Amino acid sequence: MTDRQAAPNSRKAQHIVNEVRRRIIEREWRQGDRIPDEADLAVEFDVARATVNKALQLLADEGLLDRRRRAGTRVAVDPVRKATFTIAIVREQVEQAGMAYSYRVIAQRRSPLPADIAARLGLPEGRTLVHMRAVHYGDGKPFQLEDRWINPHAAPELESADFWHLNANEWLVRNAPYLRADLSFSAENANRRDARLLQTQAGQALLVMHRTTWNDLGPITTVRVAFQPGHVVGAGNTQSRG
Amino acid sequence: MTDRQAAPNSRKAQHIVNEVRRRIIEREWRQGDRIPDEADLAVEFDVARATVNKALQLLADEGLLDRRRRAGTRVAVDPVRKATFTIAIVREQVEQAGMAYSYRVIAQRRSPLPADIAARLGLPEGRTLVHMRAVHYGDGKPFQLEDRWINPHAAPELESADFWHLNANEWLVRNAPYLRADLSFSAENANRRDARLLQTQAGQALLVMHRTTWNDLGPITTVRVAFQPGHVVGAGNTQSRG
DNA sequence: TGCGGAACTATGTCTAGACTAATCCAAGTG
DNA sequence: CACTTGGATTAGTCTAGACATAGTTCCGCA
C-alpha cells in the first residue's frame, strides 16, 4: 500500500519525463551536466530502454536536454525558449469569449499583385490574384481586420467558391491543406483605413499578424490580420503530448 | 533497381509521415475521411505497427489527423494551425544579424510590486522584488527594451544577502530551468520612456512581448520586452522532429 | 422503446532484442 | 606533430508481440 507507483503500466514514459524534469528544476542535475545514459536509466526506472528513449526525446524536443550519440545526454546550458501557439478560427475565438460573431466582406475583386505581396508569395509582381478585405466582429464591435490574397492556381476548387457569402477563412482551413506556413507578428500604427474599419483612431498601435501558406502547387494565400487595439495573443508552454 | 526505397532502414516512420501528408495535400484522403487503420498501413508500408503509430501520432500532434480509439483515424476537418517559435537569446539574435551586441542596465533596485505586475506573478501587491530595466543594442542602436521583475524567493540556495548584489542577468542564467512559462504578444504605443530608450517617438507602435516563468517554488521572473519599431518575430511551421 | 452491459475494435503504451549510425578517443603512422 | 584508422560507446530506429484502455455497436431485458 505504501506502493503508490501511481501508474503501474501505461504512462511510464510520462513518469520519467516528470522525474527528469524535477531533477533538473531542483538542481540535482545542473546545466551542462551529463546525465546517466539510457541503459542506466532504464535499469533505475525498471523499464525498457525504448521507454527511456521516448521520454528523453520529448525533453530534448522541448529544449531541456541536449542529446548526442556517443557523447550522451546533458542538461541544456541554454534551455531554448520555445512556445507553441495555435491559431484559432476567428469565429470560435469570438464565440468562446461569449460574443456573437459576425463577418462582413468589405471588398472582393481580382487585382494585380503589388510588389510587397508578390514578394511574400514568391510570385511575379502584377500577376492577378483574388484580393479580399473583411472584418470580423464580436457583438458588433470590430474584432479583427483581414486583408487577404488568394492564389486560385493553388486551389482549383476555389473558382467556384463565392467568398461574398462564404467565410474565406474557414473555407481555406477546410479545403486547402498546406504543406508549409510562414507566420509572423509585428506592430503597426493604424493607418486611416485600419482605423476606420476597426473603429479606432489613426496612429493607434495594432498587433499585426502575417501568414502565408503553400502547398505543392505553390502559394495558396497570404493574409495580413490587424487585431483590435489591445488584443493579446498568447502562447502556451512547450508541451507536446502528455 | 526500380526499387528506390530511399531509406532502407532508419527513417521509415518519416517516410510514412511524408506519404500520409502527401495523400492529404493531394486529396487522396479528404477532410473528414477515415484512413486505414494502423495494422493495414503497417502491411502496406511493410513495417511494424509501432512504426506506423509513431508516424500517425506525430501528424496528430500537428493537428492534421484526428485519432480516437475504436473510431479510428481521420483527416482533421479543421486542421489546427499551430506554430512554434523559439525565443532566441538576444545577444545571439543581434550577432546573427551581423551587428555588435551591447547591453546597458538602466536601473536595478528593490521596489514594491505594482498591481498589474503582481497579478501576472500571482503575488500580493506591494511585495518587494527586484526590478530592473535594461536596453540591448545592436551596433549601438537600441534593439530591445527590457523591463523585468525578479523574485529571489524562487532561488532557495542563494543567500538572500548575496542576492541583492548579484548581477540580475547572471542570476537568471543560474535559474534558467523553469516548469511553466507564459508568453504573449501585443502592440502598444510607445510611451515617453519607451521612446527615449528606444530612440524613437512617443506614439510609435511597438511590438511588446510579455513572458513569465515559474518553477516549483513559485514565480521566477516576469518581463516586458519592447522591440524596436518595425521588429518582426517569426514562427516556423509545426514540425517537430523530422 | 429505452437502457445497461457485453463484445468488439482501433489506438496507446510498453518490452526485449537487434541493428544502425554518429561520435569520441586512442593508438599507430608518416 | 598532424593525420588517419579502428574500436568503443551511446543515441536513433525498428520489430514482433503483448496487454491496457477507450470508445462503438449491438443485443437482451425490462
Side-chain angles (χ1 to χ4, degrees):
Chain A
M1 53 231 52
T2 53
D3 182 280
R4 43 91 177 94
Q5 289 291 44
N9 52 355
S10 170
R11 221 164 305 181
K12 299 194 192 181
Q14 189 56 46
H15 171 68
I16 297 174
V17 166
N18 296 339
E19 177 61 17
V20 170
R21 212 199 299 272
R22 188 191 64 74
R23 290 183 189 177
I24 293 172
I25 302 287
E26 300 191 358
R27 312 286 194 290
E28 280 176 41
W29 292 339
R30 310 183 143 255
Q31 305 177 239
D33 281 3
R34 171 102 185 264
I35 76 173
D37 65 33
E38 296 185 351
D40 290 348
L41 290 174
V43 171
E44 178 191 335
F45 289 105
D46 189 30
V47 299
R49 183 169 78 87
T51 305
V52 174
N53 182 275
K54 187 176 172 187
L56 296 188
Q57 283 205 7
L58 204 149
L59 288 165
D61 271 358
E62 278 182 24
L64 254 189
L65 296 178
D66 267 342
R67 293 166 58 78
R68 268 160 57 215
R69 283 166 156 153
R70 166 73 216 230
T73 299
R74 33 189 81 240
V75 180
V77 184
D78 273 330
V80 185
R81 296 146 149 93
K82 279 192 192 162
T84 305
F85 72 109
T86 48
I87 318 218
I89 296 192
V90 192
R91 180 164 44 73
E92 289 174 3
Q93 206 174 340
V94 169
E95 288 172 352
Q96 205 161 14
M99 299 188 290
Y101 174 73
S102 58
Y103 167 78
R104 189 159 72 92
V105 176
I106 305 299
Q108 177 186 341
R109 59 172 168 275
R110 290 170 170 275
S111 305
L113 272 179
D116 57 334
I117 305 292
R120 277 185 197 284
L121 291 167
L123 291 177
E125 186 179 343
R127 171 87 64 94
T128 298
L129 299 202
V130 176
H131 181 198
M132 62 170 296
R133 246 193 301 273
V135 183
H136 301 262
Y137 300 87
D139 278 351
K141 289 177 53 183
F143 187 78
Q144 68 177 48
L145 164 62
E146 181 181 326
D147 189 317
R148 184 184 290 277
W149 291 80
I150 305 172
N151 177 16
H153 301 301
E157 296 114 347
L158 185 139
E159 296 292 357
S160 55
D162 171 11
F163 291 130
W164 284 103
H165 300 105
L166 265 177
N167 186 322
N169 207 327
E170 295 181 18
W171 187 90
L172 285 166
V173 170
R174 292 201 235 276
N175 297 285
Y178 58 88
L179 215 46
R180 190 165 72 82
D182 246 26
L183 182 71
S184 67
F185 288 97
S186 53
E188 296 180 17
N189 290 101
N191 61 29
R192 260 166 226 282
R193 179 159 57 210
D194 294 334
R196 176 165 44 82
L197 295 173
L198 289 173
Q199 293 170 25
T200 181
Q201 293 142 32
Q204 169 69 48
L206 300 177
L207 180 62
V208 171
M209 177 180 84
H210 279 279
R211 186 179 146 83
T212 309
T213 56
W214 290 263
N215 66 13
D216 54 333
L217 299 171
I220 306 171
T221 182
T222 186
V223 61
R224 168 188 184 266
V225 173
F227 294 96
Q228 71 180 142
H231 185 79
V232 175
V233 305
N237 223 3
T238 306
Q239 212 83 307
S240 290
R241 202 187 345 281
Chain B
M1 49 240 46
T2 53
D3 182 277
R4 41 90 175 95
Q5 289 292 42
N9 54 355
S10 170
R11 224 165 303 182
K12 300 194 191 180
Q14 189 57 44
H15 172 68
I16 297 173
V17 166
N18 296 339
E19 177 60 17
V20 170
R21 214 199 298 271
R22 188 191 64 73
R23 290 182 189 176
I24 293 172
I25 302 287
E26 301 190 357
R27 310 287 198 291
E28 280 177 41
W29 292 339
R30 312 183 139 254
Q31 328 280 124
D33 281 3
R34 171 101 184 264
I35 76 173
D37 66 31
E38 297 185 350
D40 290 348
L41 290 174
V43 171
E44 179 190 336
F45 289 105
D46 189 30
V47 299
R49 184 171 77 88
T51 306
V52 174
N53 182 274
K54 187 176 171 186
L56 296 188
Q57 284 205 7
L58 204 149
L59 288 165
D61 272 358
E62 278 183 23
L64 255 190
L65 297 178
D66 265 343
R67 320 192 69 206
R68 269 161 56 216
R69 284 167 154 149
R70 166 74 215 228
T73 299
R74 33 189 81 240
V75 181
V77 184
D78 283 328
V80 184
R81 295 133 146 209
K82 280 192 191 163
T84 303
F85 54 120
T86 48
I87 317 282
I89 299 200
V90 192
R91 179 169 33 74
E92 289 175 3
Q93 206 174 342
V94 169
E95 287 172 352
Q96 206 161 13
M99 299 188 290
Y101 174 74
S102 58
Y103 169 81
R104 190 159 70 92
V105 175
I106 305 298
Q108 177 177 344
R109 59 170 170 275
R110 285 186 283 169
S111 304
L113 272 179
D116 57 333
I117 304 293
R120 277 185 197 284
L121 292 167
L123 290 177
E125 187 178 344
R127 171 86 64 94
T128 298
L129 300 202
V130 175
H131 181 197
M132 69 168 280
R133 244 193 302 271
V135 182
H136 301 262
Y137 301 87
D139 278 352
K141 288 179 52 185
F143 187 78
Q144 67 177 48
L145 164 61
E146 184 182 323
D147 189 316
R148 186 184 289 277
W149 292 80
I150 302 170
N151 176 20
H153 303 298
E157 76 271 20
L158 282 186
E159 296 293 321
S160 45
D162 284 344
F163 173 76
W164 306 108
H165 305 110
L166 251 177
N167 174 295
N169 239 22
E170 197 177 316
W171 183 89
L172 283 168
V173 170
R174 293 169 66 171
N175 287 278
Y178 55 86
L179 212 47
R180 189 165 74 82
D182 248 25
L183 182 71
S184 67
F185 289 96
S186 53
E188 296 181 17
N189 289 101
N191 61 30
R192 260 165 225 284
R193 179 160 57 210
D194 294 333
R196 176 165 44 81
L197 294 174
L198 289 173
Q199 294 171 25
T200 182
Q201 293 143 30
Q204 168 70 49
L206 300 178
L207 181 62
V208 170
M209 177 180 84
H210 279 279
R211 189 180 142 84
T212 308
T213 55
W214 290 263
N215 66 13
D216 53 334
L217 298 170
I220 306 171
T221 181
T222 186
V223 62
R224 168 188 184 266
V225 173
F227 294 95
Q228 71 180 143
H231 185 79
V232 175
V233 306
N237 220 4
T238 306
Q239 214 83 307
S240 289
R241 203 182 351 278

